[in-house]
Amino acid sequence: MTSTLASMTGFARHAGSHDNASFVWEIRSVNGRGLDLRMRLPAGLDGLEPALREVAGKRLKRGNVSATLTLKRESQAAMMVDEAALEGLLRHALALSERIPGAMVPRAEALLALPGVIRPAPAEDVAEDAEAARQEALAATLAAGFDVAIEALDRARRDEGGRLAVIAADLLGAIRRLVAAARAHAPEQAAQHRARLQGALADLLGDSDPVPQERLAQEIALLATKSDVREELDRLDAHVEAAHALLAESAPVGRRLDFLMQEFNREANTLCSKSASLQLTAIGLDLKATIEQLREQVQNIE
C-alpha cells in the first residue's frame, strides 16, 4: 500500500528569471507544533507575502517553514558616443599626426576606446503605468516560482513520509511481537505472586502460627487481580491497530499519533509496575524502548 504520510522535514530550491532579473526561492521545513511560516523577501516585495502564505497554507499543515527569496536585477545600461568629446579628440589626433613625420592617421577604434568617448546613455523616462505593469509581471513570475518551490517541498516531505511509514510499521510489528511474548508470561503472574507472598510470610513468621489458609487465599486472590496484565496487553494490541489505521489515512495524522504514543507509554508503564517476574519486566522495558523509538519517528510526521 502506498503511504500518504508527509514528514515535516524537507528542502526545496527553485531558480528562475524574468526580464532583466534572476531569482532563487529556497524553502526549508522542520518539525513544529503548527504551521509557522517565516518569509524573507527583498525590500519592496513585502506585498507578495499574504498571497504566498495562502499558497503555503493550502499545501502544508504543520512545520516550521522558512522561505527565502533572492532577487538579482541585471541592469544593462545603454551606452552612447559623446560626439563633442570624440570631435575634440579627433581634431587633436589629426593635428598631432601632421606634426610627427611618418605618424599614422588615428584609427576609429582607437579613438572610441579613449576614456570619455563612450559613456552611459541618460536614463529613459518610463511611463508610470508601464513601470507598474513591469512590476506586476515580475511579481506574478515570483509568485509562480514560489508555487513551484512549495510543490517541490511538499513532494520532498511526502517522500520522507513514505520512509517514515516503513519505519513506523516495522516498530509497530516489534511492539506486537513483544505484546505476544508478554501475553505468554501473563498466566504465570498469580503463581509467582503466591510464591513470593508465601516466601515472605515464611521469612517473617518463622515457626510461629501460620496464616490461615482462607486468609492467605484471599490475599493471593487480591494480588492476582491487581497483577493481571491481560487488560493492558489487550489495550496495547488495540493501540497497534489504531496506529496502523492512522498511518493509512490521507489526512495529516501526526497530532493523533503523538497522543496515541502517550497511551502506548501508559500501558507499558503499568505492565512493568504489575510485573511479578524478571522475564515480564524485561519485556516491558523492551516495549518502552520500542515505543520511544516510535514516538521519535512520530514527532516528524505532519
Side-chain angles (χ1 to χ4, degrees):
M1 181 178 60
T2 303
S3 171
T4 57
L5 284 187
S7 169
M8 286 188 283
T9 302
F11 172 78
R13 184 180 189 274
H14 175 70
S17 62
H18 176 81
D19 199 7
N20 66 337
S22 60
F23 65 89
V24 176
W25 278 109
E26 288 189 347
I27 310 180
R28 293 174 171 81
S29 172
V30 295
N31 299 354
R33 294 182 62 85
L35 179 59
D36 181 11
L37 178 61
R38 300 181 181 182
M39 307 200 72
R40 297 178 182 176
L41 303 176
L45 294 174
D46 296 341
L48 288 174
E49 186 166 338
L52 300 183
R53 285 185 174 277
E54 184 177 355
V55 169
K58 289 179 179 179
R59 287 191 173 272
L60 312 176
K61 301 306 177 187
R62 292 180 66 200
N64 290 325
V65 182
S66 173
T68 301
L69 171 63
T70 302
L71 179 65
K72 182 179 179 182
R73 300 180 188 271
E74 301 169 355
S75 84
Q76 299 177 344
M79 307 302 289
M80 64 172 289
V81 176
D82 189 325
E83 296 291 347
L86 178 60
E87 182 65 28
L89 288 170
L90 177 59
R91 185 170 59 253
H92 287 298
L94 288 173
L96 186 60
S97 66
E98 291 176 357
R99 292 170 54 188
I100 301 174
M104 297 179 62
V105 176
R107 299 173 61 85
E109 60 268 26
L111 290 173
L112 291 174
L114 293 173
V117 176
I118 303 293
R119 62 180 179 80
E124 296 181 7
D125 292 332
V126 180
E128 184 176 343
D129 56 347
E131 178 61 23
R134 286 169 53 183
Q135 291 300 320
E136 184 177 345
L138 174 61
T141 301
L142 295 175
F146 180 79
D147 191 50
V148 173
I150 279 290
E151 183 178 357
L153 177 68
D154 186 33
R155 188 164 54 249
R157 285 167 42 128
R158 292 189 181 281
D159 289 344
E160 177 65 16
R163 291 186 283 272
L164 288 176
V166 173
I167 295 172
D170 288 344
L171 290 170
L172 287 170
I175 291 173
R176 191 188 294 278
R177 289 190 293 274
L178 287 168
V179 170
R183 198 179 294 280
H185 288 282
E188 305 168 4
Q189 285 280 95
Q192 288 164 345
H193 275 298
R194 181 187 298 110
R196 181 178 298 176
L197 179 60
Q198 289 174 334
L201 287 173
D203 291 340
L204 181 63
L205 298 176
D207 296 332
S208 303
D209 294 336
V211 175
Q213 289 299 314
E214 182 180 351
R215 176 60 176 163
L216 183 60
Q218 291 175 350
E219 291 297 325
I220 291 174
L222 181 61
L223 282 174
T225 300
K226 290 182 177 180
S227 63
D228 189 354
V229 296
R230 289 174 297 179
E231 187 175 346
E232 285 72 26
L233 297 177
D234 288 343
R235 281 199 288 264
L236 282 168
D237 275 335
H239 294 338
V240 169
E241 292 300 327
H244 276 300
L246 287 174
L247 291 175
E249 288 194 18
S250 57
V253 295
R255 289 184 181 278
R256 286 182 285 168
L257 281 171
D258 193 36
F259 173 77
L260 192 57
M261 290 304 100
Q262 299 176 36
E263 300 302 308
F264 268 105
N265 266 318
R266 182 176 292 109
E267 304 306 335
N269 287 333
T270 305
L271 177 68
C272 288
S273 67
K274 286 185 174 183
S275 173
S277 69
L278 293 176
Q279 295 92 334
L280 190 56
T281 298
I283 292 171
L285 293 175
D286 286 343
L287 259 174
K288 292 181 65 173
T290 307
I291 291 167
E292 178 59 22
Q293 292 175 33
L294 180 58
R295 189 193 68 83
E296 290 174 358
Q297 299 302 324
V298 164
Q299 296 301 305
N300 295 317
I301 296 175
E302 184 179 44

